Each structure stands twice: as structure tokens, then as C-alpha cells.
Amino acid sequence: MKVTVFNGSPSGSDSATNKIASAFLCGAQNAGADTCNIFLSEKNITQCGGCFACWFKTPGKCVHNDDMAGLLNLYCTSDIVVFATPVYTWNMTALMKNFVDRLAPLKSPKITEKNDGYDLEDTKPKTQKFIVISNCGFPGEKNFEVMKAAFACCEPSLEIYRNCGKLLKSQGSAAAKVGEYLEAVKQAGFEIACGLNVSEETRKQLEMQLMSIDEYVKYLGM
């Protein structure tokens, strides 16, 4: 079992997003999985130019000679792929969107339809399970609506959305609650890596409130 996180936070290993991702990977490791934590901010990934050479001229191969070739191989050989990104202006970060755009060589120029939705056909059937991890500095759940819609196409097996994300790196009064939450994330990683469906109890813990909205707004000083 190979579990790979692709982290799209510009803050990389110091990000709040990585707090969640690292806990998830720790749980997967406890289940015996091989894990890899990739920080896209450390990679040279050129923007997709929309030339479509990877479909028509050199099928499966991009014209850009950068780090993406190795990342594509890692993506394809992983059993579980985790997209991890904070919310930036309602959606995934530019780093994550650029990475997702550069997955184009895995598609073919053939239209496919499913449930009245249209997409491009995969060159090879997907064998991975997909997980989404995201945190947002605001309270409430509405800020993840665009993210949920964006990743719906990969039919994720689990989505972990964490509001009040500024607390994830807190050393103050919220630290104990954050620790409890990260233990739940770790359990989710363990269950996924064991090939299990994440239990209802674990899913409920993943949605625990870290702090009331009023308290959080005061905590931010905003």
C-alpha cells in the first residue's frame, strides 16, 4: 500500500494543511503503508500551455521538461492519492490547480459521459483511491463549497474539511482540542490504509468543533 500526499500550500511543511496531512500519513504508516509527502512549493512545475501535444504529438508525455514527469509516475503508482490544499479565494491554491492541470497527459482526446456529465477519457483506468484534505482560516462550512465541487470529479473516498484552520498551529488553549482532532485524522489514515471504509465514529470526530465562531473571531482579533 502506497499513500502519497500532494500538498499545494505555499507554506509547504510549515503549513496548517501539513498538520492534517502529516497526521493522516502517520495513521497510514501505523497500518503498514509506505507514505510520501510531496510539497508542490518545492517543485518546478511549469504551467500547462494548452498545446495538447501530450494528446496528439507525444501521447502521455508533456513538452515541458520539469519535475512533473516524476510526479506523474508517483501519482500513477500510488494506491491512495491525497490532494491537500488550503482554501485560497474560495478554491484550491494556484499551486494545486497548476498540478491538477498538468495531469493532462493521463487523459485522451475522447469524450466520455457519466451521469449527464462529460469529461475526457482516461488513457488507463484509475486504480487509486482519492482523498481530499483542506483547511480554511474562516469559521463555518460554506467556504468549502467550491472545493467540494472541484474535486467531485475524482469521486473521493474521503474528504477532510477543517474550518477554523488557524488553530491547527496554536500553542494556546485550543491545543488540546486540536490534538484530539489530529488523533481522529490519524485514525482515518489508519482505516483507509487498512482498506476499510472510514467508520461513522471517525467521520463524526473529523467534523468536531474546535472553537465556537464567536470565540474564534475574537481569537483572530478580527
Side-chain angles (χ1 to χ4, degrees):
M1 173 69 71
K2 186 175 181 179
V3 183
T4 301
V5 167
F6 295 98
N7 187 327
S9 173
S11 299
S13 61
D14 191 45
S15 64
T17 300
N18 190 44
K19 290 286 187 181
I20 308 173
S22 292
F24 185 88
L25 289 179
C26 182
Q29 290 168 1
N30 290 342
D34 293 326
T35 64
C36 189
N37 199 358
I38 299 296
F39 300 106
L40 299 179
S41 61
E42 299 174 358
K43 302 298 180 180
N44 175 30
I45 306 175
T46 309
Q47 288 185 341
C48 176
C51 68
F52 307 121
C54 62
W55 297 346
F56 300 108
K57 293 183 179 180
T58 54
K61 182 176 174 59
C62 182
V63 297
H64 295 303
N65 183 22
D66 57 15
D67 291 337
M68 195 62 198
L71 296 179
L72 274 176
N73 181 64
L74 184 57
Y75 175 93
C76 291
T77 57
S78 296
D79 300 292
I80 297 172
V81 169
V82 182
F83 297 107
T85 174
V87 174
Y88 273 28
T89 318
W90 314 298
N91 205 339
M92 68 186 80
T93 63
L95 282 169
M96 179 59 74
K97 183 60 169 67
N98 189 41
F99 172 75
V100 172
D101 286 347
R102 288 291 304 279
L103 296 177
L106 303 180
K107 294 288 188 177
S108 63
K110 298 178 182 178
I111 292 178
T112 182
E113 182 270 337
K114 182 178 180 180
N115 299 326
D116 294 327
Y118 294 86
D119 198 352
L120 293 173
E121 189 175 281
D122 296 317
T123 54
K124 296 179 182 178
K126 287 189 177 75
T127 58
Q128 311 100 317
K129 287 184 177 180
F130 296 95
I131 309 293
V132 178
I133 290 175
S134 183
N135 85 93
C136 181
F138 291 108
E141 299 298 326
K142 292 291 186 180
N143 295 289
F144 297 108
E145 295 305 308
V146 175
M147 192 84 70
K148 291 177 181 179
F151 282 111
C153 294
C154 72
E155 300 179 335
S157 299
L158 177 67
E159 297 169 273
I160 301 176
Y161 295 114
R162 180 70 270 162
N163 58 15
C164 301
K166 292 290 185 180
L167 296 175
L168 291 168
K169 298 170 68 176
S170 171
Q171 300 296 318
S173 59
K177 194 68 175 180
V178 169
E180 181 185 349
Y181 167 72
L182 293 177
E183 283 298 318
V185 176
K186 189 184 297 184
Q187 179 62 26
F190 180 86
E191 292 176 13
I192 286 287
C194 285
L196 305 172
N197 291 321
V198 177
S199 67
E200 286 302 316
E201 180 182 356
T202 300
R203 288 179 183 271
K204 185 176 181 180
Q205 289 178 320
L206 291 174
E207 296 175 357
M208 71 173 63
Q209 186 180 49
L210 300 182
M211 186 179 282
S212 72
I213 291 178
D214 288 343
E215 288 176 316
Y216 185 63
V217 172
K218 290 179 182 178
Y219 171 84
L220 293 177
M222 300 172 70

